[in-house]
Amino acid sequence: MGLTIVQRSDLRVRKPGAKVALVLAGGAVSGGAYELGGLKALNDYLLNRKVTDFDVYVGLSAGAFLAAPLAAGISPEEMLKSLDARSESFTPLGFWDFYNPNLREIVAKPLEGLFDLLSIAPKVYWRTATALPSALRRSFFGGLKLLAAHDSTALEELAQDLRTQIFANLKPRGMFSYLPSGLCDNVTIERYLRANFAANDAPNHFEELKERTGKSLFVLATLLDTAELVVFGPGADVSVSISEAVQASTALPGFYKPAHLRGRDYIDGGVCKTANISVAVENGADLVICYNPFRPFFNSVQTKVDPRTGLIVKQGRPLADDGVLYVLNQVFRTVIRSRLMASLRRYREDPNFHGDIILVEPADYDYKFFGINPVAFWYRARSARHGFESVKKSIEREYGSIRQILSSYGIEMTRKYIQDDMTLFEASGGDTHAILGILQTEKPAVNMRLVGNSAAGA
């Protein structure tokens, strides 16, 4: 129902000094906004500790884009303010920051193909027209007889021999090599983050961030040429800056060209892993809160035979009826979640794991979010609101269990702030700007030593 718990610690024992991790999976632009709204909801539930106060942050793809500012102390509410340019410390992510066309390759690659074609065409023509040996000509006429005899195997061998003779030493490239490696270039995302880190005096290097804040940030990417997972972070790969690591992690194949950093090409970290909870656990996290915005949709379609006509009648609309994008969306989400569930099963069955994992996801019947295009830049505010409401519903269903787990780690919860927001939602009359303003309002963290535990659990 949108929330999965792996509970392996002794909740009767308080855990002072235990490390808490936030792991954010990918989700493109709409999934990232959805995560941002969900993080706002989680923040409202937390009474004495906010999502910027954790110890370990792990992000990949859109999750990396959010994890980096969170680790630097920039709240979800402040990032939500940037959606409509209300933030004084975090600039809006512009349309061209996200849809930065890969003009260099879009123009240069076809021109390169045309140049190669013009260079090789005269040679191919000359060899074909005048330089074929008489033996090859005899083989050609022999090939016509083979064709008449329907000897396709021999004919294929003849065609291959002709190709070898004509293109010897020319080594033509395949036609697909002249296509751009991606429609857009996400170097603008790196510049955007670098500028905002500088404006907030936030470290843009992993080791400096840990030294100044005590927080460990890890960003995951995939090395294109070897298909290896790369973990950027303290004690791991620190060869690039934080903003460059996010650029590598968000390089969605096909949509963005691979991020070329220090002579190596990187693509989206989600190609290898969904969220990589193991990075958080291996770096000392005892409690892991994981947020995965991309979950497959459970589309209930039933079939029955009409007794009058004998025809099969469907109840519900199959996803395939909405076209290839819906099919690919479901496949993509299924692959992501199956890997994530395999990881959770591993920790549930591991006798050496004595921590706790809370996985937050959309409900499997959440068709509204399923229908939003993952790279639809203009749906960010709508996705953020939907993420807030979805996480609120998920946490409410398991509020008692989550509160018990968090309490053992010294983190107290309250319903007061979330109820206040829902009351304001109802009073807003559904106005998008008013609702966005509610989401942008940050609730204060409470010092439990001063007020005691009376407010917790309200």
Side-chain angles (χ1 to χ4, degrees):
M1 299 296 290
L3 202 141
T4 307
I5 298 175
V6 177
Q7 193 270 302
R8 296 296 304 277
S9 75
D10 186 349
L11 300 184
R12 298 169 299 179
V13 178
R14 301 285 286 188
K15 305 173 181 65
K19 287 187 176 182
V20 180
L22 181 65
V23 177
L24 301 177
V29 65
S30 60
Y34 187 95
E35 279 186 290
L36 200 53
L39 289 169
K40 159 62 178 173
L42 178 60
N43 236 12
D44 279 2
Y45 275 110
L46 301 181
L47 186 60
N48 61 328
R49 197 170 180 181
K50 298 302 182 181
V51 295
T52 51
D53 299 325
F54 293 164
D55 306 291
V56 179
Y57 294 83
V58 180
L60 75 163
S61 194
F65 183 81
L66 300 179
L70 289 172
I74 299 170
S75 68
E77 292 85 358
E78 198 64 41
M79 285 188 272
L80 283 164
K81 288 180 183 179
S82 73
L83 295 183
D84 58 357
R86 294 185 187 182
S87 174
E88 296 180 358
S89 58
F90 213 71
T91 60
L93 179 69
F95 181 88
W96 295 114
D97 291 328
F98 185 77
Y99 292 106
N100 175 42
N102 183 16
L103 288 177
R104 183 180 177 278
E105 288 190 4
I106 290 174
V107 173
K109 287 274 189 177
L111 289 177
E112 185 182 348
L114 179 62
F115 176 80
D116 287 350
L117 178 63
L118 294 175
S119 299
I120 200 174
K123 297 177 183 178
V124 172
Y125 175 79
W126 179 258
R127 290 183 184 184
T128 303
T130 64
L132 289 176
S134 58
L136 190 57
R137 288 199 298 271
R138 286 194 300 272
S139 297
F140 176 75
F141 289 113
L144 295 179
K145 296 179 181 179
L146 292 172
L147 180 61
H150 303 288
D151 190 347
S152 61
T153 302
L155 193 60
E156 289 171 6
E157 293 177 355
L158 174 62
Q160 181 61 36
D161 185 51
L162 283 168
R163 184 182 184 281
T164 302
Q165 291 287 340
I166 294 172
F167 292 100
N169 302 319
L170 294 182
K171 297 180 179 179
R173 291 163 54 184
M175 60 179 294
F176 291 109
S177 66
Y178 297 109
L179 295 177
S181 59
L183 295 175
C184 298
D185 184 352
N186 70 342
V187 67
T188 43
I189 289 180
E190 188 278 328
R191 293 172 187 161
Y192 169 83
L193 281 177
R194 175 161 34 100
N196 276 285
F197 285 160
N200 287 276
D201 191 29
N204 194 23
H205 295 278
F206 293 97
E207 292 177 328
E208 184 183 356
L209 175 69
K210 185 172 183 179
E211 182 180 342
R212 284 174 55 177
T213 68
K215 302 170 187 175
S216 297
L217 170 66
F218 298 93
V219 174
L220 281 58
T222 302
L223 191 59
L224 177 61
D225 289 312
T226 63
E228 294 176 287
L229 180 71
V230 179
V231 179
F232 296 107
D237 190 331
V238 292
S239 62
V240 301
S241 66
I242 293 174
S243 56
E244 287 174 327
V246 173
Q247 178 192 354
S249 187
T250 56
L252 182 66
F255 186 74
Y256 285 127
K257 62 175 285 190
H260 190 71
L261 303 169
R262 311 296 189 271
R264 310 177 89 184
D265 290 320
Y266 299 93
I267 56 175
D268 196 310
V271 172
C272 280
K273 293 286 185 179
T274 295
N276 213 332
I277 294 171
S278 61
V279 172
V281 175
E282 289 166 5
N283 284 276
D286 302 287
L287 170 64
V288 178
I289 300 175
C290 179
Y291 194 177
N292 171 41
F294 272 5
R295 181 180 185 176
F297 175 65
F298 182 78
N299 189 40
S300 179
V301 179
Q302 299 178 357
T303 59
K304 64 178 182 179
V305 178
D306 189 329
R308 294 174 299 174
T309 63
L311 298 176
I312 295 177
V313 179
K314 294 180 181 178
Q315 293 180 330
R317 182 179 176 84
L319 293 178
D321 288 358
D322 290 316
V324 65
L325 292 181
Y326 273 69
V327 173
L328 293 177
N329 191 4
Q330 182 78 329
V331 170
F332 178 62
R333 291 166 180 260
T334 302
V335 171
I336 284 177
R337 193 165 193 271
S338 62
R339 295 190 308 193
L340 188 53
M341 290 299 102
S343 177
L344 290 184
R345 283 194 299 271
R346 201 160 52 243
Y347 283 108
R348 189 177 282 116
E349 298 167 2
D350 185 356
N352 298 314
F353 177 66
H354 302 292
D356 300 291
I357 300 171
I358 300 173
L359 170 64
V360 182
E361 299 178 292
D364 57 5
Y365 53 80
D366 195 343
Y367 186 76
K368 288 183 179 179
F369 180 61
F370 179 82
I372 295 177
N373 186 336
V375 293
F377 185 83
W378 45 91
Y379 284 137
R380 292 171 300 155
R382 173 180 163 188
S383 296
R385 173 187 175 180
H386 201 57
F388 177 90
E389 294 173 340
S390 176
V391 168
K392 186 258 181 188
K393 290 177 182 177
S394 296
I395 291 179
E396 280 299 318
R397 293 190 188 99
E398 299 286 345
Y399 183 81
S401 299
I402 297 174
R403 182 187 171 199
Q404 185 181 16
I405 293 172
L406 295 187
S407 181
S408 73
Y409 290 90
I411 304 174
E412 302 301 334
M413 296 182 69
T414 180
R415 284 187 167 113
K416 179 185 183 312
Y417 297 144
I418 205 86
Q419 290 171 347
D420 289 347
D421 281 344
M422 296 308 295
T423 300
L424 292 172
F425 276 4
E426 293 176 6
S428 71
D431 180 74
T432 300
H433 293 290
I435 290 174
L436 196 54
I438 297 166
L439 294 177
Q440 294 166 347
T441 303
E442 191 166 350
K443 305 301 189 295
V446 176
N447 188 330
M448 299 303 297
R449 289 177 296 181
L450 297 179
V451 301
N453 292 331
S454 58

